[in-house]
Amino acid sequence: MTVTGGTAGDVPVGIPRVPAQEAAERELSKPMYHENDPSPLQRALDRFWDWIGHLFDAAAGATPGGVVGVVAVVLVVIALVAALWWRLGTPRRAPSGGGDALFDDGPRTAAEHRAAAARHASAGQWNQAVQERMRAIVRSLEERTLLEPRPGRTADEAAAEAGRSLPGHADGLRSAARAFDDVTYGGRSADEPAYQRIEQLDTALERAKPSLSATGTASAFTEAPR
């Protein structure tokens, strides 16, 4: 590259190509040359809408009826989604690991939960029967002040807390909580023997009575005389 001076007596100056290119790039990178450039967000949006436009054009070319056909397909898809939403309702979060509360409705007594469990069992609805019987167990322990009522308690937490005071029934409580979690969150199905085990545990806990230690706190439970 040759640069000629501004006067007649100047001698042409030769500048190598690479340094000249770098000098030009430095000059053009100055903010004064980019004051009216679109922002990075605007450039990203432009590229996005260009992509949408190309996609729409391709779909229109491949769909019978061109643009009208694409619009019809989009309307049909929207109608299907709306129908599914109306039929299935708002999607609910899938609980994991039994992390949601044991009681999902208003307060009910242990007797009410037992009655509900019996109705479900009579109808062969073992999942609901297991759920209601587990709730009856926990509510009964709360009513007898063997568990402190606590909103948001899970089946696992209730079993662990009750098991510390009822060591003789700790395994049964853990099994009942696991059965509750399996049918409520794990997508599994209960059967009549599963329900009967929880029913028998409920009956055994009803017969249990506290044995107070010397400090006046409940340390263990023994079976009441029949």
Side-chain angles (χ1 to χ4, degrees):
M1 177 177 181
T2 302
V3 179
T4 303
T7 64
D10 289 339
V11 178
V13 179
I15 302 178
R17 180 180 298 275
V18 173
Q21 182 179 356
E22 293 176 350
E25 290 176 352
R26 285 195 298 271
E27 178 66 21
L28 293 175
S29 66
K30 294 180 179 179
M32 60 182 293
Y33 296 107
H34 302 279
E35 293 178 352
N36 297 320
D37 288 354
S39 66
L41 176 60
Q42 184 61 49
R43 290 197 296 270
L45 288 175
D46 290 342
R47 286 195 296 270
F48 172 75
W49 287 118
D50 287 342
W51 176 77
I52 291 294
H54 292 315
L55 185 64
F56 193 86
D57 291 340
T63 304
V67 175
V68 176
V70 172
V71 172
V73 171
V74 170
L75 291 177
V76 170
V77 171
I78 292 174
L80 289 175
V81 171
L84 287 173
W85 191 282
W86 177 82
R87 178 66 179 84
L88 301 177
T90 303
R92 299 178 62 184
R93 179 180 61 85
S96 59
D100 278 14
L102 174 66
F103 298 99
D104 56 1
D105 54 7
R108 288 188 289 165
T109 65
E112 289 172 329
H113 285 296
R114 290 190 182 103
R119 288 194 300 270
H120 288 305
S122 298
Q125 299 170 339
W126 303 115
N127 284 12
Q128 295 89 333
V130 164
Q131 291 171 325
E132 289 298 325
R133 201 73 191 202
M134 182 62 190
R135 290 170 180 143
I137 288 175
V138 176
R139 185 67 78 207
S140 176
L141 294 174
E142 291 177 348
E143 290 173 352
R144 296 167 60 194
T145 68
L146 304 182
L147 275 181
E148 180 182 358
R150 179 163 59 82
R153 176 188 277 125
T154 67
D156 290 331
E157 291 170 345
E161 293 172 19
R164 288 192 288 269
S165 299
L166 294 155
H169 297 289
D171 291 341
L173 286 163
R174 282 194 296 270
S175 296
R178 190 179 307 114
F180 178 92
D181 288 344
D182 284 345
V183 301
T184 306
Y185 311 128
R188 300 183 182 179
S189 297
D191 53 16
E192 185 174 2
Y195 171 72
Q196 289 177 344
R197 286 191 292 271
I198 298 180
E199 183 182 32
Q200 292 167 2
L201 174 64
D202 186 20
T203 301
L205 292 173
E206 279 292 290
R207 293 198 303 264
K209 65 178 183 178
S211 176
L212 300 182
S213 66
T215 60
T217 59
S219 60
F221 287 77
T222 57
E223 295 294 330
R226 299 186 181 183

